[in-house]
Amino acid sequence: MRFCRFCGAKEIQFRKSGKFGCVHCAQIFNYPKPNRRIKIPENQIQTLESFIKENLSSLTLFSLRTRITRNLKSSLFPFYDPLLDKSKQLLVESGFGSQLYLDTNLPSLHLEENPEPRMGFYLGSEDHIRWEEISFHPYPNRNQTLVQKKEKISIFRFLFQKSHWAELPEIGFVSSCPTNLGAGRRDSILLGLTPEVVSEFFSILQTLSEFGIEFAPSTDYRIRNIGKDRVLVVKISWKNVLAVQKRQFYKILGLLGSY
């Protein structure tokens, strides 16, 4: 039976949990490799764009979210050890202690009136550290102060500093889940759809799945009232897609420049 001689994880454990035990597992076990084309064909872009323009009044943007996950370099992954103290120490020493939340006290996300954007690090999940930013405005970067912009730049420099993180040259950053290898990044939006457009919108999104775009009714907010209307809340997300793909999709939804 195949196993990782560095952390001891067996293939049967990997198949059952779907999680790596260390960075070397990504070189040892077999798993589906993403094979995504760079650009969405123009005819599919036009189909989606036409649908959005014709049904704009039936779509409501609730939120945009970006998550970036990292595992510590030369360490067992949370499958074996969450390394909460070591992760916290790294964040504090890097100047991000004030932005740290434990998984149990991360601010909850509610679709309330005029919610405030939020950004921070949290621990205790399937990866050692996760950074998350949530915005409730289609152009979250537009009104940022110079201090806020510099803070965000410093966060991204930290997250992409290879000396801190589990990383392989041929793969990139190694997350616990094989589907998140590479940049370790997932972007998502929550949209409200009126019932009459759900079927057509889902049919169009289905044609984009090969480009890394996933969609499903939100498990947290399946149905919500907006005024007198009831809408289905849908989550659309991307894992590690190339920037050109995301820009194309965001542009259609009127979100160009959001991230």
Side-chain angles (χ1 to χ4, degrees), residues 35-249:
N35 181 23
R36 295 167 188 154
R37 294 151 65 184
I38 295 177
K39 292 191 67 175
I40 301 173
E42 189 62 31
N43 64 321
Q44 289 175 259
I45 287 289
Q46 290 176 353
T47 298
L48 180 59
E49 192 167 15
S50 297
F51 172 84
I52 296 295
K53 288 180 178 178
E54 293 171 6
N55 298 281
L56 198 58
S57 61
S58 298
L59 306 176
T60 303
L61 174 69
F62 289 135
S63 68
L64 302 94
R65 176 182 297 194
T66 293
R67 292 179 175 181
I68 298 178
T69 61
R70 293 289 184 263
N71 283 312
L72 299 178
K73 192 179 188 70
S74 303
S75 301
L76 293 174
F77 285 5
F79 179 80
Y80 285 113
D81 193 339
L83 296 176
L84 296 179
D85 291 339
K86 187 175 180 180
S87 300
K88 182 178 180 179
Q89 181 181 357
L90 175 61
L91 290 172
V92 171
E93 291 177 350
S94 301
F96 301 112
S98 62
Q99 298 188 37
L100 172 62
Y101 300 95
L102 292 177
D103 198 29
T104 54
N105 64 6
L106 185 73
S108 59
L109 173 61
H110 297 289
L111 298 180
E112 57 201 21
E113 295 297 326
N114 301 315
E116 291 294 322
R118 60 200 63 165
M119 180 174 71
F121 293 89
Y122 67 96
L123 314 177
S125 188
E126 67 179 34
D127 296 288
H128 289 134
I129 292 175
R130 174 175 290 180
W131 175 79
E132 178 171 299
E133 181 180 32
I134 304 174
S135 175
F136 304 90
H137 188 278
Y139 300 98
N141 294 332
R142 179 171 290 178
N143 298 318
Q144 285 186 340
T145 66
L146 182 59
V147 172
Q148 290 173 322
K149 290 178 180 179
K150 287 183 176 180
E151 180 183 44
K152 197 168 181 180
I153 289 172
S154 67
I155 288 172
F156 273 80
R157 284 176 177 168
F158 169 69
L159 290 170
F160 284 87
Q161 190 170 334
K162 294 181 180 180
S163 60
H164 292 319
W165 314 117
E167 183 262 346
L168 293 170
E170 68 275 20
I171 292 177
F173 296 104
V174 180
S175 300
S176 295
C177 181
T179 64
N180 211 22
L181 296 176
R185 175 168 177 158
R186 186 183 188 106
D187 296 275
S188 62
I189 61 175
L190 284 182
L191 285 177
L193 307 176
T194 57
E196 62 270 16
V197 302
V198 169
S199 179
E200 184 178 357
F201 192 48
F202 275 24
S203 295
I204 295 172
L205 290 178
Q206 186 66 52
T207 67
L208 304 177
S209 60
E210 65 178 297
F211 304 101
I213 296 175
E214 304 171 1
F215 65 96
S218 169
T219 55
D220 297 321
Y221 319 99
R222 295 184 69 89
I223 300 292
R224 188 190 179 202
N225 291 326
I226 299 182
K228 297 181 180 180
D229 299 323
R230 288 176 64 79
V231 299
L232 176 69
V233 181
V234 177
K235 181 178 181 180
I236 306 173
S237 63
W238 306 256
K239 278 187 178 181
N240 297 317
V241 299
L242 298 178
V244 64
Q245 293 174 217
K246 189 170 61 174
R247 282 198 299 268
Q248 283 181 304
F249 197 77

Side-chain angles (χ1 to χ4, degrees), residues 247-258:
R247 282 198 299 268
Q248 283 181 304
F249 197 77
Y250 275 7
K251 181 179 180 181
I252 293 171
L253 295 176
L255 305 175
L256 189 62
S258 296

